[in-house]
Amino acid sequence: MTRPSRRSAWIPRLAALLALTLAAVAAPAQSVTSGALEGTVRSADGSLLNDASILLTERAVGSTRPLPIAPDGRFGAAFLPTGSYDLLVEQPGFAPRVVRGVVVRPGERTELRVVLSPAAAGSERVDTTHAAAGAMSGSRAGQGWWFGPRDVAGLPTQRWGLDELARLSSVAGDGLEAEGLPARMSGVVLDGVPLNPARHPGGAAHPAGAVAFPLQVVEQAELATNPVDVEWGGFAGAYLNTFTRRGTRELRVDGFGSWATGSLAGGDPFASGSVSHGTMQGGVLVSGPIVPDTAGFVLGVEARRLETPLQYGLPFASAADSLGVLAPEAFGGADGRLLTTDVLSGFGRLDWQFSGASRFTARANVAAVGAPGEGGAGWLGRYGGGADGLELSAAASLASQLSRSLAQEARAGIQVSRRGAAEEAVVLPATAFAVEGLALGSGGYAGSFDRTTFFASETFQQRSGAHLLKLGAAVSASRYEGSYLPDAAGEFYFSTLGAFAGGQGYFVQPVGTRSPASFTIPRVSGYLQDTWTVAPGLAVLLGLRVDADFPPADDVAPNADWAALTGVDSTALGTRALLGPRFGFRWDGGQDRWVVRGAAGIYYDEADPAVIGEAISNDGGLRIRRGAGDAAAWPGFPQGAGTETGPTLSLLAPDYEAPRSARGSLGISRVLGAGTVLHLSASWRRTEYLPRRADLNLAPTAGAEDPNGRPVFGTLVQQGGLVFAQPGSNRRFSGFDRVYALNTDGWSEYRGATVAFEHRAASPLTAFGSYTYSSTEDNWVGARGGWPEAQLAPFAGREGNDWTEGRSDFDVPHRAVLGAELGLGGRIAPRLAAVYRFRSGHPFTPGFRPGVDANGDGSARNDPAFVDPGVPGFAEAASGWDCLAAGGFAVRNSCRQDGVHSLDARIALDLLRTGRGSASLVVDGLNLLSSDAGEPDTALYLVDPARSLGTADGRVTLPLVANPNFGSPVAG
């Protein structure tokens, strides 16, 4: 196994120096869920007034609280919920002043300078001013993207899921895939408590993971890409920090309903019989006061039906139809092309300002997710299967102003998340057709995945002169239970549809039992931070976060037979202290015209439960049978056929650690006019300790080569368009099948530059847009697809440069987004909104079809092609592909699909609006401009069934022919 490199020995030294620096002061700053308000009261001649009476009112909820004022004329309030406030300031001898629209944002400090004018005794004059929102009221260049209420509720959406907010930025895609990292490494934080739904352990996040918590319950949110505050921990990627709806000052009943349909344009690039994406959604929200100006509530219920088309490329439409005829019992006819998911959810929240200095909040969510019927299950590809599910989440917080300079906030939450394959679903083994290019079957989803998570934190903050000090601690514990192993449902490969009809193919069959994984991972965290106002307009942040994981070392049992053969210890799993120093600064150039921000920090992901669960479950109890020939029992496996090659194992690498990201960013914001801000930013990220796979039981040396110098580890066998290694011929020890080493020597590096604008004035029109140019490189082969064998290096043991290092699977060099909403007013208040998005196509490596194992290492999904113009049909297949430079093995991810455009539009109107409630109707048009997008056919070559494989003098020659469909979409 590979021991991770130690490139960052400077971190402990920096952390120790930082801890000594901070020990000289006291404790910390703003909360990640709330902001702070500070200011002074002065007379017109500039004198400080310290006898003023100050009342703060939250505009949406109506709650009020008095603010104390110090002898120096300063006032302040900590842990204020994000939103808009009104401030009333009164002092005898002066006219009262009302400051309206004071904006408070999480993690930010809003500074006010209130000036009172003298007034004659008995005067009833009240002065009113409006607070300037300024550059800080929106996104934080380089650190976060702010989505206000109009962004959350007013723009078109496909699934009404929380993670869809990320699509409104140009650094992320659907499902929180942000800045070159997969969605599973980003996270959602709901009112300060992490939201961790159960997910499939493979490469893709299950779509129901986020839709169970509807977008309708969110009031505003921030996508934080470099959140320097030390309270942030638990994710190596981005943080979607969301804030749920709160009660209103008067009782309201609001009903809503929406309907969305797919592309209305002609010329759909996909096959006949495909159906449009559709969403139906409806619900009701009831909100109001419990105690006027003190306590409020909101209750809501929502029902949704999500209909997702299962699309197939034009060249494969007839093949898909033929397969349905050959195996009608496994498919639901035409309806089998539509995946339907039903979600029923409920939401509630209570806010109680039970004193002028204390606020209590509690919220709860519950959702039931219904799986698709058996028609959809037969067509689903890798990890696309439906699942029944239950999501339950509850959280509470208590924030208190203990004195003028000291405040505290306590948060706690619990989440129960369950996922499992629907009992009525048809679960097919993963099945591939090498010549036609079809792939189907949801066998990779077989199993159940449950997660129960507890979280609690306590944070104190104190002002000491020019310092805002923060000290806190957090504890979390996640309980995982699952019965998943990679490909434990087995696989089938067929050369052609004709071979399928004749029952001839190659199969990989699991035999025996698998151990369920049931384990708990606690994490304890402590953090210390000082935000120092060095000079007016300049603030510097220094912080340190320390996390300690306690992985379940006792649950990872060694395999005695493997240990006897190799002496490899597979149980090296221990507690580690994870040090995360943070640094940031903010410079305000005056009157909020210029704001410059910089940030750097270390962020740790959670210990990946998929990796640890696999090491626990894949302990040798499951054996593998491989064979070729009679496969007529499909989707069942032939009884007694094939060769049992032995058990599989998954072993953790020595010094296993959670992934770690180092980040740096620099951003500049400039106010261009009323409500319009321009942002420029640059970002860098390097993530290490990413999990990679190696096969420890692969033969240590190749037994042959192909004419291009590719090492061939096993004895290759051809069956029509299939090529595979003779079972057992490529194994180092004959008593075992694959033995995966789960190494942590993976890395990923991202660089990006962004230009963005926001127009968010109090006018009928709001608009925003951004463009990001970036590059992502890594050595994380196969990370996007999720197939375990696709993650194996194709040139194991080869000297020279590491082929795996290069363009990442997640590299998207160009992203752009442009959105706008226009409110027309009137009785029904029609609102028009649109969002246009563009991204570069995903990169891919020219190779072979699943079912062609060119190097005989046991993986039919990891071999790059050798670019050879002499292969029949090459000129036609390579036409238009500049990435196919002749003379060597294809560079990793050297080719790229075409860019993807999309345009979504919305029309919304009020069917009923009164002072006590409303009913609204929303119609969305999705993908009005649709691009030809889907999984690309990465096979540059096919194996010609009409010719035979050649072997002579230690050289193996495959009978290849170029693939005329190279690069075009296949089954999606």
Side-chain angles (χ1 to χ4, degrees), residues 406 482 503 587 667:
L406 179 65
W587 175 75

Side-chain angles (χ1 to χ4, degrees), residues 614-867:
E614 182 180 334
I616 294 173
S617 294
N618 200 19
D619 59 357
L622 193 71
R623 305 182 307 279
I624 300 299
R625 178 177 289 122
R626 301 175 182 268
D630 183 11
W634 182 93
F637 288 90
Q639 299 298 315
T643 300
E644 188 171 300
T645 54
T648 66
L649 293 176
S650 293
L651 310 178
L652 283 174
D655 301 327
Y656 171 80
E657 283 193 23
R660 177 189 66 202
S661 287
R663 293 182 177 274
S665 64
L666 179 66
I668 303 174
S669 299
R670 165 72 174 175
V671 177
L672 301 181
T676 304
V677 184
L678 176 69
H679 303 290
L680 301 174
S681 63
S683 300
W684 169 85
R685 171 196 55 76
R686 183 176 177 89
T687 302
E688 296 180 322
Y689 296 99
L690 294 172
R692 296 207 304 167
R693 291 179 186 268
D695 186 353
L696 298 182
N697 200 34
L698 181 65
T701 59
E705 287 188 348
D706 73 1
N708 305 311
R710 185 197 312 271
V712 178
F713 292 91
T715 302
L716 297 186
V717 178
Q718 180 186 2
Q719 185 188 85
L722 302 177
V723 171
F724 49 87
Q726 181 176 316
S729 65
N730 54 6
R731 298 296 98 196
R732 181 178 185 179
F733 299 109
S734 59
F736 290 86
D737 195 82
R738 284 200 188 99
V739 178
Y740 284 128
L742 302 175
N743 296 315
T744 54
D745 59 344
W747 58 267
S748 167
E749 191 161 323
Y750 169 90
R751 295 178 177 87
T754 298
V755 56
F757 80 92
E758 298 175 289
H759 176 73
R760 304 188 186 279
S763 66
L765 176 67
T766 61
F768 63 90
S770 63
Y771 165 75
T772 298
Y773 174 75
S774 66
S775 68
T776 307
E777 295 185 343
D778 62 26
N779 65 348
W780 206 13
V781 172
R784 176 179 289 279
W787 292 94
E789 69 252 36
Q791 300 167 23
L792 297 174
F795 301 109
R798 185 175 179 179
E799 298 289 337
N801 293 332
D802 188 351
W803 179 90
T804 65
E805 295 185 356
R807 181 180 292 162
S808 169
D809 294 359
F810 303 99
D811 180 59
V812 181
H814 302 283
R815 285 190 190 269
V817 61
L818 183 64
E821 185 196 31
L822 176 63
L824 301 179
R827 185 175 63 85
I828 61 173
R831 301 172 298 281
L832 307 177
V835 176
Y836 167 78
R837 290 176 292 155
F838 170 80
R839 66 163 174 81
S840 301
H842 292 140
F844 65 93
T845 305
F848 302 90
R849 288 269 170 80
V852 178
D853 183 5
N855 70 345
D857 66 349
S859 171
R861 290 182 170 86
N862 73 332
D863 296 317
F866 187 91
V867 182

